[in-house]
Amino acid sequence: MSRKTRTASQLQDEVSRRLHRLQDIVDEGVKIRVPRPQLQEPDASGCNWDTKHFGNMAGHERAVAEVVAMVRKEFNLSTEAKHLNSLFGEPSPE
């Protein structure tokens, strides 16, 4: 299965969304802080990112690990560099 590519912000949002839909987390009303994914060399499965140092996850370590594993199976981190000028509507130099 080939992975879809997403930005770091999109991956961070996806992990957060999935975590905060889990019934145990909803029931406890806990808000887990999800850090931005970090680019790494592709591992044996081909995934090129990981994320560590979640905040406020005490008692939910297993659920966090499972969600991250699921998202890592589906998505890779985009490595495409954006040109700064494109933020201001100016064309990128070729």
Side-chain angles (χ1 to χ4, degrees), residues 36-73:
R36 287 180 65 85
Q38 300 297 311
L39 188 63
Q40 66 179 20
E41 288 296 317
D43 61 17
S45 75
C47 185
N48 71 347
W49 65 275
D50 203 1
T51 187
K52 298 175 182 164
H53 310 296
F54 286 76
N56 201 33
M57 74 170 188
H60 299 286
E61 293 86 351
R62 183 175 179 178
V64 168
E66 289 172 356
V67 167
V68 169
M70 285 189 299
V71 176
R72 284 174 43 92
K73 285 181 186 175

Side-chain angles (χ1 to χ4, degrees), residues 9-48:
S9 293
Q10 289 170 322
L11 290 172
Q12 183 180 28
D13 291 346
E14 183 65 18
V15 170
S16 181
R17 183 183 64 78
R18 292 184 189 197
L19 276 174
H20 293 101
R21 286 191 340 195
L22 296 175
Q23 197 60 50
D24 287 347
I25 292 173
V26 170
D27 289 347
E28 288 185 29
V30 70
K31 184 72 173 164
I32 297 173
R33 186 189 60 76
V34 178
R36 287 180 65 85
Q38 300 297 311
L39 188 63
Q40 66 179 20
E41 288 296 317
D43 61 17
S45 75
C47 185
N48 71 347

Side-chain angles (χ1 to χ4, degrees), residues 83-91:
H83 193 274
L84 258 184
N85 287 339
S86 68
L87 295 174
F88 304 103
E90 297 172 19

